[in-house]
Amino acid sequence: MDYGLEKYIGLVVKSDKRISLIKVPEPIKIIQRRGSNITGVLTKKRACDFIGWLEGGQAVYLEAKATKSPRRWTLDNRLRSHQLDWLIAADKMGALACVLVRRATGSDYLLPVSGEGLPFSGPSVLWDDLDPYKIPPRRSFVDLLIKRHGGQK
């Protein structure tokens, strides 16, 4: 359940001309077609949910995650190791790499990913510890990406 997170991202991107993002499709191989029925299988793991750029050309890699956990965000069942590896590689190549996390309460957090990974260690983190990454009311993740970019990485 994504609590409307992907729809929210799509609406922000549609209305905010400072960013362009595309949803990365699942890599599927079609193995059978029968009329309008298509059978397919996943062929490999997807890099991340969204790839794009900010106004001015700065590359952005964004993974979107939603959780209903009331006390903490648990990494092991939310962010897969291959997804984090892609984000770390994107950061090392100069892209802005982030995880956008939505709580069931509707609060959103933009977690930066660096060459060392996420800004905390361990299998989970309390929501209170993520307060520095909480997106303020009436602001979007685009505002924080631009602030993080600051004209240069």
Side-chain angles (χ1 to χ4, degrees):
M1 188 128 198
D2 75 356
Y3 302 105
L5 185 56
E6 288 189 5
K7 185 174 184 178
Y8 161 73
I9 292 169
L11 290 172
V12 167
V13 168
K14 189 174 183 178
S15 66
D16 192 330
K17 301 305 177 200
R18 300 173 299 166
I19 191 166
S20 180
L21 290 176
I22 59 167
K23 175 86 168 109
V24 178
E26 295 284 349
I28 296 174
K29 178 180 180 182
I30 296 172
I31 56 174
Q32 182 180 32
R33 289 180 191 217
R34 197 174 285 173
S36 62
N37 292 329
I38 299 173
T39 304
V41 294
L42 292 175
T43 58
K44 60 182 178 177
K45 298 173 181 172
R46 179 174 54 190
C48 62
D49 290 328
F50 295 89
I51 296 175
W53 54 89
L54 292 175
E55 185 177 53
Q58 174 64 52
V60 175
Y61 282 65
L62 185 67
E63 181 63 31
K65 297 294 179 190
T67 182
K68 60 183 176 180
S69 175
R71 296 201 57 224
R72 64 181 62 242
W73 185 49
T74 305
L75 285 162
D76 57 359
N77 68 349
R78 297 285 168 222
L79 186 63
R80 307 282 185 225
S81 62
H82 72 277
Q83 293 169 323
L84 184 57
D85 290 344
W86 271 101
L87 293 170
I88 290 171
D91 173 78
K92 288 181 178 179
M93 295 297 288
L96 291 176
C98 298
V99 180
L100 181 60
V101 180
R102 172 163 287 177
R103 288 177 72 175
T105 61
S107 300
D108 294 330
Y109 301 78
L110 188 66
L111 308 178
V113 177
S114 70
E116 284 75 49
L118 288 164
F120 53 85
S121 60
S124 67
V125 62
L126 294 172
W127 290 115
D128 290 344
D129 295 334
L130 292 179
D131 272 349
Y133 308 102
K134 189 173 184 177
I135 299 173
R138 294 176 298 285
R139 305 266 321 264
S140 77
F141 67 93
V142 178
D143 298 319
L144 296 184
L145 283 171
I146 289 170
K147 182 178 177 182
R148 180 168 177 229
H149 174 51
Q152 65 180 23
K153 180 141 191 271

